[in-house]
């Protein structure tokens, strides 16, 4: 997949707009169908259509839940990218993946002890982005977290340290300026898992 916006680190706004559009487009693909399945019972009043209405009701709730999660994740990435400049980091070491669509990785050019980061795709895709091992555009600060844009495919991922409490000392020794910047970016505290 090739992104329809610049993935060379020059501008994150195209990635943010694209991710918002995809989240809304996916929502609008399924929500009207589930809504129609749900509300038809109120107009037809046919008892045997009740199971269809129940499926529709759960579908409405599920699509709203997915939209809220995708918009929230994209907003979180945008906030990080507005606060920190994008810098190319290469290589990326793939550590593992959980069934909850969580990726574990390390940025290869870290000095000292490398941080294992847990990352989630802003659109909730549960796969490794193609070409991520070649490097990513990273905005953030490893002890706090940040956002990635993968060159080529353009996937946006939000990442924070895998073991948040083990990195408390790194964050405490970061200095007032870095802590304040992390607070502005929304990564001073661990995100909801």
């Amino acid at each position: 997949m090739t992104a329809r916006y610049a993935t060379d680190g020059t501008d994150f706004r195209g990635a943010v707009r694209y991710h918002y559009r995809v989240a809304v487009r996916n929502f609008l693909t399924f929500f009207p169908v589930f809504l129609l399945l749900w509300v038809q019972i109120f107009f037809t009043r046919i008892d045997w259509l009740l199971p269809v209405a129940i499926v529709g009701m759960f579908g409405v709730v599920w699509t709203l839940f997915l939209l809220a999660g995708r918009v929230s994740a994209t907003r979180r990435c945008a906030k990080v990218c507005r606060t920190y400049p994008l810098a190319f980091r290469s290589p990326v070491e793939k550590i593992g993946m959980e069934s909850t669509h969580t990726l574990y990785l390390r940025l290869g050019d870290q000095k000292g002890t490398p941080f294992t980061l847990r990352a989630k795709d802003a659109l909730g895709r549960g796969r490794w982005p193609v070409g991520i091992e070649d490097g990513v555009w990273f905005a953030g600060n490893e002890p706090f977290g940040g956002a990635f844009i993968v060159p080529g495919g353009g996937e946006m991922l939000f990442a924070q340290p895998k073991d948040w409490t083990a990195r408390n000392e790194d964050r405490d020794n970061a200095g007032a300026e870095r802590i304040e910047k992390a607070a502005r970016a929304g990564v001073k505290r661990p995100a909801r898992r």
Side-chain angles (χ1 to χ4, degrees), residues 27 30-64:
F27 172 75
F30 297 103
F31 181 78
V33 174
F34 286 123
L35 184 63
L36 184 61
L37 291 175
W38 181 25
V39 300
Q40 56 77 30
I41 195 76
F42 301 112
F43 298 107
T44 63
R45 304 217 187 265
I46 300 173
D47 292 342
W48 58 270
L49 286 177
L50 182 61
V52 174
I54 292 171
V55 168
M57 181 183 67
F58 282 115
V60 163
V61 171
W62 183 248
T63 54
L64 286 169

Side-chain angles (χ1 to χ4, degrees), residues 88-157:
F88 190 74
R89 304 289 297 272
S90 174
V92 173
E93 180 185 354
K94 296 178 182 178
I95 305 297
M97 183 171 131
E98 279 184 5
S99 61
T100 58
H101 306 287
T102 303
L103 310 175
Y104 295 100
L105 51 93
R106 279 192 203 114
L107 298 175
D109 61 348
Q110 296 176 356
K111 311 255 186 310
T113 307
F115 292 88
T116 299
L117 300 171
R118 57 185 309 278
K120 286 200 173 204
D121 188 291
L123 294 177
R125 294 176 281 220
R127 61 177 168 70
W128 284 100
V130 175
I132 192 170
E133 58 278 344
D134 297 330
V136 294
W137 289 97
F138 177 69
N141 193 336
E142 287 89 353
F144 297 97
F148 300 120
I149 296 178
V150 180
E155 292 91 343
M156 280 180 53
L157 296 100

